[in-house]
PDB file of all heavy atoms in Angstrom:
ATOM      1  N   PHE A  10      43.080 -71.074 -36.856  1.00  0.00           N
ATOM      2  CA  PHE A  10      42.510 -69.823 -37.455  1.00  0.00           C
ATOM      3  C   PHE A  10      40.988 -69.695 -36.903  1.00  0.00           C
ATOM      4  O   PHE A  10      40.340 -68.727 -37.491  1.00  0.00           O
ATOM      5  CB  PHE A  10      42.378 -70.036 -38.984  1.00  0.00           C
ATOM      6  CG  PHE A  10      43.843 -69.966 -39.555  1.00  0.00           C
ATOM      7  CD1 PHE A  10      44.299 -71.201 -40.077  1.00  0.00           C
ATOM      8  CD2 PHE A  10      44.678 -68.932 -39.604  1.00  0.00           C
ATOM      9  CE1 PHE A  10      45.590 -71.291 -40.656  1.00  0.00           C
ATOM     10  CE2 PHE A  10      45.860 -69.052 -40.122  1.00  0.00           C
ATOM     11  CZ  PHE A  10      46.452 -70.169 -40.609  1.00  0.00           C
ATOM     12  N   GLY A  11      40.592 -70.349 -35.871  1.00  0.00           N
ATOM     13  CA  GLY A  11      39.438 -70.113 -35.430  1.00  0.00           C
ATOM     14  C   GLY A  11      39.230 -68.758 -34.483  1.00  0.00           C
ATOM     15  O   GLY A  11      38.294 -68.281 -34.280  1.00  0.00           O
ATOM     16  N   ASP A  12      40.524 -68.260 -34.006  1.00  0.00           N
ATOM     17  CA  ASP A  12      40.524 -67.057 -33.275  1.00  0.00           C
ATOM     18  C   ASP A  12      39.693 -66.980 -31.977  1.00  0.00           C
ATOM     19  O   ASP A  12      38.812 -66.098 -31.838  1.00  0.00           O
ATOM     20  CB  ASP A  12      40.176 -65.905 -34.239  1.00  0.00           C
ATOM     21  CG  ASP A  12      41.037 -65.702 -35.438  1.00  0.00           C
ATOM     22  OD1 ASP A  12      42.172 -65.997 -35.319  1.00  0.00           O
ATOM     23  OD2 ASP A  12      40.582 -65.032 -36.344  1.00  0.00           O
ATOM     24  N   ILE A  13      39.887 -67.954 -31.140  1.00  0.00           N
ATOM     25  CA  ILE A  13      39.137 -67.951 -29.878  1.00  0.00           C
ATOM     26  C   ILE A  13      40.058 -67.302 -28.703  1.00  0.00           C
ATOM     27  O   ILE A  13      39.477 -67.094 -27.610  1.00  0.00           O
ATOM     28  CB  ILE A  13      38.740 -69.360 -29.469  1.00  0.00           C
ATOM     29  CG1 ILE A  13      39.849 -70.233 -28.973  1.00  0.00           C
ATOM     30  CG2 ILE A  13      38.023 -69.974 -30.462  1.00  0.00           C
ATOM     31  CD1 ILE A  13      39.483 -71.318 -28.196  1.00  0.00           C
ATOM     32  N   GLU A  14      41.270 -66.881 -29.016  1.00  0.00           N
ATOM     33  CA  GLU A  14      42.075 -66.382 -27.996  1.00  0.00           C
ATOM     34  C   GLU A  14      41.573 -65.072 -27.442  1.00  0.00           C
ATOM     35  O   GLU A  14      40.817 -64.351 -28.192  1.00  0.00           O
ATOM     36  CB  GLU A  14      43.504 -66.105 -28.537  1.00  0.00           C
ATOM     37  CG  GLU A  14      44.251 -67.349 -28.990  1.00  0.00           C
ATOM     38  CD  GLU A  14      43.985 -67.911 -30.179  1.00  0.00           C
ATOM     39  OE1 GLU A  14      43.202 -67.268 -30.898  1.00  0.00           O
ATOM     40  OE2 GLU A  14      44.520 -68.893 -30.598  1.00  0.00           O
ATOM     41  N   GLY A  15      41.768 -64.900 -26.182  1.00  0.00           N
ATOM     42  CA  GLY A  15      41.277 -63.568 -25.531  1.00  0.00           C
ATOM     43  C   GLY A  15      42.096 -62.378 -25.954  1.00  0.00           C
ATOM     44  O   GLY A  15      42.989 -62.434 -26.799  1.00  0.00           O
ATOM     45  N   GLU A  16      41.945 -61.255 -25.222  1.00  0.00           N
ATOM     46  CA  GLU A  16      42.583 -60.052 -25.661  1.00  0.00           C
ATOM     47  C   GLU A  16      43.962 -60.141 -25.261  1.00  0.00           C
ATOM     48  O   GLU A  16      44.874 -59.520 -25.992  1.00  0.00           O
ATOM     49  CB  GLU A  16      41.992 -58.952 -24.902  1.00  0.00           C
ATOM     50  CG  GLU A  16      40.531 -58.490 -25.391  1.00  0.00           C
ATOM     51  CD  GLU A  16      39.996 -57.264 -24.598  1.00  0.00           C
ATOM     52  OE1 GLU A  16      40.678 -56.802 -23.703  1.00  0.00           O
ATOM     53  OE2 GLU A  16      38.736 -56.933 -24.871  1.00  0.00           O
ATOM     54  N   ASP A  17      44.465 -61.011 -24.423  1.00  0.00           N
ATOM     55  CA  ASP A  17      45.728 -61.181 -24.019  1.00  0.00           C
ATOM     56  C   ASP A  17      46.565 -62.241 -25.082  1.00  0.00           C
ATOM     57  O   ASP A  17      47.657 -62.509 -24.789  1.00  0.00           O
ATOM     58  CB  ASP A  17      45.860 -61.636 -22.670  1.00  0.00           C
ATOM     59  CG  ASP A  17      45.218 -63.046 -22.332  1.00  0.00           C
ATOM     60  OD1 ASP A  17      44.492 -63.560 -23.295  1.00  0.00           O
ATOM     61  OD2 ASP A  17      45.231 -63.438 -21.328  1.00  0.00           O
ATOM     62  N   GLY A  18      45.747 -62.712 -26.000  1.00  0.00           N
ATOM     63  CA  GLY A  18      46.411 -63.582 -26.953  1.00  0.00           C
ATOM     64  C   GLY A  18      46.472 -65.056 -26.541  1.00  0.00           C
ATOM     65  O   GLY A  18      47.183 -65.778 -27.393  1.00  0.00           O
ATOM     66  N   VAL A  19      45.976 -65.484 -25.474  1.00  0.00           N
ATOM     67  CA  VAL A  19      45.983 -66.783 -25.173  1.00  0.00           C
ATOM     68  C   VAL A  19      44.521 -67.345 -24.783  1.00  0.00           C
ATOM     69  O   VAL A  19      43.612 -66.502 -24.658  1.00  0.00           O
ATOM     70  CB  VAL A  19      46.851 -66.968 -23.775  1.00  0.00           C
ATOM     71  CG1 VAL A  19      48.271 -66.421 -23.994  1.00  0.00           C
ATOM     72  CG2 VAL A  19      46.183 -66.201 -22.510  1.00  0.00           C
ATOM     73  N   VAL A  20      44.510 -68.599 -24.715  1.00  0.00           N
ATOM     74  CA  VAL A  20      43.286 -69.232 -24.408  1.00  0.00           C
ATOM     75  C   VAL A  20      43.080 -69.340 -22.917  1.00  0.00           C
ATOM     76  O   VAL A  20      43.848 -70.145 -22.274  1.00  0.00           O
ATOM     77  CB  VAL A  20      43.009 -70.567 -25.093  1.00  0.00           C
ATOM     78  CG1 VAL A  20      41.719 -71.309 -24.636  1.00  0.00           C
ATOM     79  CG2 VAL A  20      43.146 -70.503 -26.507  1.00  0.00           C
ATOM     80  N   GLY A  21      42.177 -68.579 -22.236  1.00  0.00           N
ATOM     81  CA  GLY A  21      42.064 -68.606 -20.778  1.00  0.00           C
ATOM     82  C   GLY A  21      40.689 -69.175 -20.318  1.00  0.00           C
ATOM     83  O   GLY A  21      39.835 -69.719 -21.105  1.00  0.00           O
ATOM     84  N   HIS A  22      40.377 -68.914 -19.089  1.00  0.00           N
ATOM     85  CA  HIS A  22      39.122 -69.413 -18.529  1.00  0.00           C
ATOM     86  C   HIS A  22      37.902 -68.817 -18.931  1.00  0.00           C
ATOM     87  O   HIS A  22      36.806 -69.253 -18.808  1.00  0.00           O
ATOM     88  CB  HIS A  22      39.287 -69.381 -17.075  1.00  0.00           C
ATOM     89  CG  HIS A  22      40.251 -70.189 -16.492  1.00  0.00           C
ATOM     90  ND1 HIS A  22      40.082 -71.641 -16.151  1.00  0.00           N
ATOM     91  CD2 HIS A  22      41.590 -70.023 -16.095  1.00  0.00           C
ATOM     92  CE1 HIS A  22      41.168 -72.143 -15.599  1.00  0.00           C
ATOM     93  NE2 HIS A  22      42.073 -71.312 -15.601  1.00  0.00           N
ATOM     94  N   ASP A  23      38.037 -67.616 -19.602  1.00  0.00           N
ATOM     95  CA  ASP A  23      36.752 -66.982 -20.220  1.00  0.00           C
ATOM     96  C   ASP A  23      36.471 -67.560 -21.599  1.00  0.00           C
ATOM     97  O   ASP A  23      35.403 -67.268 -22.183  1.00  0.00           O
ATOM     98  CB  ASP A  23      36.959 -65.485 -20.251  1.00  0.00           C
ATOM     99  CG  ASP A  23      36.763 -64.899 -18.847  1.00  0.00           C
ATOM    100  OD1 ASP A  23      36.031 -65.473 -18.097  1.00  0.00           O
ATOM    101  OD2 ASP A  23      37.517 -63.878 -18.571  1.00  0.00           O
ATOM    102  N   GLU A  24      37.566 -68.242 -22.208  1.00  0.00           N
ATOM    103  CA  GLU A  24      37.321 -68.721 -23.601  1.00  0.00           C
ATOM    104  C   GLU A  24      37.131 -70.276 -23.647  1.00  0.00           C
ATOM    105  O   GLU A  24      36.615 -70.733 -24.749  1.00  0.00           O
ATOM    106  CB  GLU A  24      38.642 -68.383 -24.523  1.00  0.00           C
ATOM    107  CG  GLU A  24      38.860 -66.873 -24.783  1.00  0.00           C
ATOM    108  CD  GLU A  24      39.386 -66.114 -23.642  1.00  0.00           C
ATOM    109  OE1 GLU A  24      40.390 -66.706 -22.971  1.00  0.00           O
ATOM    110  OE2 GLU A  24      38.925 -65.003 -23.407  1.00  0.00           O
ATOM    111  N   ALA A  25      37.617 -70.953 -22.657  1.00  0.00           N
ATOM    112  CA  ALA A  25      37.554 -72.353 -22.751  1.00  0.00           C
ATOM    113  C   ALA A  25      37.483 -73.093 -21.286  1.00  0.00           C
ATOM    114  O   ALA A  25      38.048 -72.326 -20.385  1.00  0.00           O
ATOM    115  CB  ALA A  25      38.688 -73.020 -23.503  1.00  0.00           C
ATOM    116  N   ASN A  26      37.009 -74.201 -21.210  1.00  0.00           N
ATOM    117  CA  ASN A  26      37.091 -75.102 -19.939  1.00  0.00           C
ATOM    118  C   ASN A  26      38.586 -75.596 -19.884  1.00  0.00           C
ATOM    119  O   ASN A  26      38.858 -76.721 -20.473  1.00  0.00           O
ATOM    120  CB  ASN A  26      36.074 -76.135 -19.894  1.00  0.00           C
ATOM    121  CG  ASN A  26      36.190 -77.098 -18.813  1.00  0.00           C
ATOM    122  OD1 ASN A  26      36.664 -76.648 -17.708  1.00  0.00           O
ATOM    123  ND2 ASN A  26      35.708 -78.248 -18.831  1.00  0.00           N
ATOM    124  N   ILE A  27      39.400 -74.916 -19.097  1.00  0.00           N
ATOM    125  CA  ILE A  27      40.838 -75.350 -18.968  1.00  0.00           C
ATOM    126  C   ILE A  27      41.225 -75.555 -17.521  1.00  0.00           C
ATOM    127  O   ILE A  27      40.373 -75.330 -16.728  1.00  0.00           O
ATOM    128  CB  ILE A  27      41.791 -74.378 -19.710  1.00  0.00           C
ATOM    129  CG1 ILE A  27      41.721 -73.069 -18.836  1.00  0.00           C
ATOM    130  CG2 ILE A  27      41.413 -74.287 -21.216  1.00  0.00           C
ATOM    131  CD1 ILE A  27      42.731 -72.105 -19.592  1.00  0.00           C
ATOM    132  N   GLY A  28      42.402 -76.028 -17.226  1.00  0.00           N
ATOM    133  CA  GLY A  28      42.793 -76.300 -15.951  1.00  0.00           C
ATOM    134  C   GLY A  28      43.981 -75.367 -15.408  1.00  0.00           C
ATOM    135  O   GLY A  28      44.027 -74.348 -15.768  1.00  0.00           O
ATOM    136  N   LEU A  29      44.692 -75.935 -14.489  1.00  0.00           N
ATOM    137  CA  LEU A  29      45.884 -75.247 -13.778  1.00  0.00           C
ATOM    138  C   LEU A  29      47.108 -75.001 -14.787  1.00  0.00           C
ATOM    139  O   LEU A  29      47.155 -75.805 -15.714  1.00  0.00           O
ATOM    140  CB  LEU A  29      46.409 -76.002 -12.676  1.00  0.00           C
ATOM    141  CG  LEU A  29      45.382 -76.331 -11.515  1.00  0.00           C
ATOM    142  CD1 LEU A  29      45.933 -77.445 -10.533  1.00  0.00           C
ATOM    143  CD2 LEU A  29      45.093 -75.098 -10.618  1.00  0.00           C
ATOM    144  N   VAL A  30      47.563 -73.908 -14.640  1.00  0.00           N
ATOM    145  CA  VAL A  30      48.857 -73.613 -15.490  1.00  0.00           C
ATOM    146  C   VAL A  30      49.883 -74.626 -15.202  1.00  0.00           C
ATOM    147  O   VAL A  30      50.550 -75.033 -16.021  1.00  0.00           O
ATOM    148  CB  VAL A  30      49.328 -72.179 -15.202  1.00  0.00           C
ATOM    149  CG1 VAL A  30      50.611 -71.889 -15.972  1.00  0.00           C
ATOM    150  CG2 VAL A  30      48.262 -71.030 -15.632  1.00  0.00           C
ATOM    151  N   ASP A  31      50.142 -74.964 -13.935  1.00  0.00           N
ATOM    152  CA  ASP A  31      51.159 -75.932 -13.553  1.00  0.00           C
ATOM    153  C   ASP A  31      50.320 -77.322 -13.570  1.00  0.00           C
ATOM    154  O   ASP A  31      49.562 -77.513 -12.727  1.00  0.00           O
ATOM    155  CB  ASP A  31      51.765 -75.504 -12.174  1.00  0.00           C
ATOM    156  CG  ASP A  31      52.517 -74.369 -11.978  1.00  0.00           C
ATOM    157  OD1 ASP A  31      53.094 -73.941 -13.218  1.00  0.00           O
ATOM    158  OD2 ASP A  31      52.484 -73.593 -11.141  1.00  0.00           O
ATOM    159  N   CYS A  32      50.781 -78.130 -14.617  1.00  0.00           N
ATOM    160  CA  CYS A  32      50.014 -79.345 -14.901  1.00  0.00           C
ATOM    161  C   CYS A  32      50.083 -80.186 -13.556  1.00  0.00           C
ATOM    162  O   CYS A  32      50.988 -80.177 -12.986  1.00  0.00           O
ATOM    163  CB  CYS A  32      50.617 -80.013 -16.108  1.00  0.00           C
ATOM    164  SG  CYS A  32      49.885 -81.602 -16.510  1.00  0.00           S
ATOM    165  N   CYS A  33      48.992 -80.832 -13.263  1.00  0.00           N
ATOM    166  CA  CYS A  33      47.673 -80.923 -13.951  1.00  0.00           C
ATOM    167  C   CYS A  33      46.482 -80.934 -13.072  1.00  0.00           C
ATOM    168  O   CYS A  33      46.728 -81.104 -11.858  1.00  0.00           O
ATOM    169  CB  CYS A  33      47.599 -82.235 -14.768  1.00  0.00           C
ATOM    170  SG  CYS A  33      48.931 -82.432 -15.986  1.00  0.00           S
ATOM    171  N   GLY A  34      45.321 -80.599 -13.598  1.00  0.00           N
ATOM    172  CA  GLY A  34      44.163 -80.521 -12.830  1.00  0.00           C
ATOM    173  C   GLY A  34      43.287 -79.396 -13.108  1.00  0.00           C
ATOM    174  O   GLY A  34      43.612 -78.406 -13.726  1.00  0.00           O
ATOM    175  N   GLY A  35      42.039 -79.541 -12.772  1.00  0.00           N
ATOM    176  CA  GLY A  35      40.927 -78.620 -13.143  1.00  0.00           C
ATOM    177  C   GLY A  35      41.136 -77.369 -12.318  1.00  0.00           C
ATOM    178  O   GLY A  35      41.651 -77.331 -11.295  1.00  0.00           O
ATOM    179  N   LYS A  36      40.431 -76.243 -12.749  1.00  0.00           N
ATOM    180  CA  LYS A  36      40.404 -75.070 -12.143  1.00  0.00           C
ATOM    181  C   LYS A  36      39.175 -74.263 -12.510  1.00  0.00           C
ATOM    182  O   LYS A  36      38.840 -74.190 -13.702  1.00  0.00           O
ATOM    183  CB  LYS A  36      41.686 -74.163 -12.342  1.00  0.00           C
ATOM    184  CG  LYS A  36      41.678 -72.942 -11.529  1.00  0.00           C
ATOM    185  CD  LYS A  36      43.012 -72.069 -11.860  1.00  0.00           C
ATOM    186  CE  LYS A  36      42.930 -70.727 -11.124  1.00  0.00           C
ATOM    187  NZ  LYS A  36      44.123 -69.990 -11.346  1.00  0.00           N
ATOM    188  N   ALA A  37      38.357 -73.676 -11.638  1.00  0.00           N
ATOM    189  CA  ALA A  37      37.319 -72.848 -11.938  1.00  0.00           C
ATOM    190  C   ALA A  37      37.671 -71.476 -11.811  1.00  0.00           C
ATOM    191  O   ALA A  37      38.162 -71.047 -10.714  1.00  0.00           O
ATOM    192  CB  ALA A  37      36.137 -73.228 -11.021  1.00  0.00           C
ATOM    193  N   GLU A  38      37.364 -70.655 -12.787  1.00  0.00           N
ATOM    194  CA  GLU A  38      37.848 -69.154 -12.836  1.00  0.00           C
ATOM    195  C   GLU A  38      37.043 -68.468 -13.977  1.00  0.00           C
ATOM    196  O   GLU A  38      36.825 -69.173 -15.144  1.00  0.00           O
ATOM    197  CB  GLU A  38      39.314 -69.057 -13.035  1.00  0.00           C
ATOM    198  CG  GLU A  38      39.762 -67.627 -12.857  1.00  0.00           C
ATOM    199  CD  GLU A  38      41.293 -67.459 -13.112  1.00  0.00           C
ATOM    200  OE1 GLU A  38      41.953 -67.765 -12.037  1.00  0.00           O
ATOM    201  OE2 GLU A  38      41.741 -67.025 -14.133  1.00  0.00           O
ATOM    202  N   GLY A  39      36.507 -67.263 -13.771  1.00  0.00           N
ATOM    203  CA  GLY A  39      35.840 -66.581 -14.718  1.00  0.00           C
ATOM    204  C   GLY A  39      34.569 -67.265 -15.253  1.00  0.00           C
ATOM    205  O   GLY A  39      33.804 -67.905 -14.496  1.00  0.00           O
ATOM    206  N   ARG A  40      34.557 -67.472 -16.616  1.00  0.00           N
ATOM    207  CA  ARG A  40      33.404 -68.125 -17.236  1.00  0.00           C
ATOM    208  C   ARG A  40      33.541 -69.638 -16.942  1.00  0.00           C
ATOM    209  O   ARG A  40      32.427 -70.292 -17.032  1.00  0.00           O
ATOM    210  CB  ARG A  40      33.394 -67.778 -18.760  1.00  0.00           C
ATOM    211  CG  ARG A  40      32.143 -68.249 -19.427  1.00  0.00           C
ATOM    212  CD  ARG A  40      32.371 -68.034 -20.920  1.00  0.00           C
ATOM    213  NE  ARG A  40      31.107 -68.358 -21.607  1.00  0.00           N
ATOM    214  CZ  ARG A  40      30.204 -67.453 -22.169  1.00  0.00           C
ATOM    215  NH1 ARG A  40      30.462 -66.247 -22.068  1.00  0.00           N
ATOM    216  NH2 ARG A  40      29.135 -67.965 -22.744  1.00  0.00           N
ATOM    217  N   ASP A  41      34.542 -70.095 -16.693  1.00  0.00           N
ATOM    218  CA  ASP A  41      34.964 -71.463 -16.602  1.00  0.00           C
ATOM    219  C   ASP A  41      34.493 -71.958 -15.057  1.00  0.00           C
ATOM    220  O   ASP A  41      35.370 -71.742 -14.223  1.00  0.00           O
ATOM    221  CB  ASP A  41      36.334 -71.730 -16.872  1.00  0.00           C
ATOM    222  CG  ASP A  41      36.810 -73.279 -16.654  1.00  0.00           C
ATOM    223  OD1 ASP A  41      35.870 -74.102 -16.371  1.00  0.00           O
ATOM    224  OD2 ASP A  41      37.968 -73.630 -16.708  1.00  0.00           O
ATOM    225  N   VAL A  42      33.451 -72.412 -14.980  1.00  0.00           N
ATOM    226  CA  VAL A  42      32.990 -72.891 -13.553  1.00  0.00           C
ATOM    227  C   VAL A  42      33.109 -74.322 -13.307  1.00  0.00           C
ATOM    228  O   VAL A  42      32.541 -74.862 -12.300  1.00  0.00           O
ATOM    229  CB  VAL A  42      31.499 -72.319 -13.290  1.00  0.00           C
ATOM    230  CG1 VAL A  42      31.426 -70.910 -13.396  1.00  0.00           C
ATOM    231  CG2 VAL A  42      30.604 -72.923 -14.250  1.00  0.00           C
TER     232      VAL A  42
END
């Protein structure tokens, strides 16, 4: 219920430090550098 999802309804690189969609590994994109 924290509501951090983006406008597309998912947690992306502008909302969190996340990695590749195809597991596994880091990825820099958007706010996530």
Side-chain angles (χ1 to χ4, degrees):
F10 297 108
D12 294 338
I13 71 161
E14 291 82 1
E16 293 182 359
D17 56 0
V19 301
V20 178
H22 291 275
D23 286 327
E24 292 80 42
N26 177 21
I27 63 174
L29 296 166
V30 173
D31 296 326
C32 183
C33 298
K36 181 180 180 181
E38 182 178 285
R40 190 187 184 102
D41 176 10
V42 298

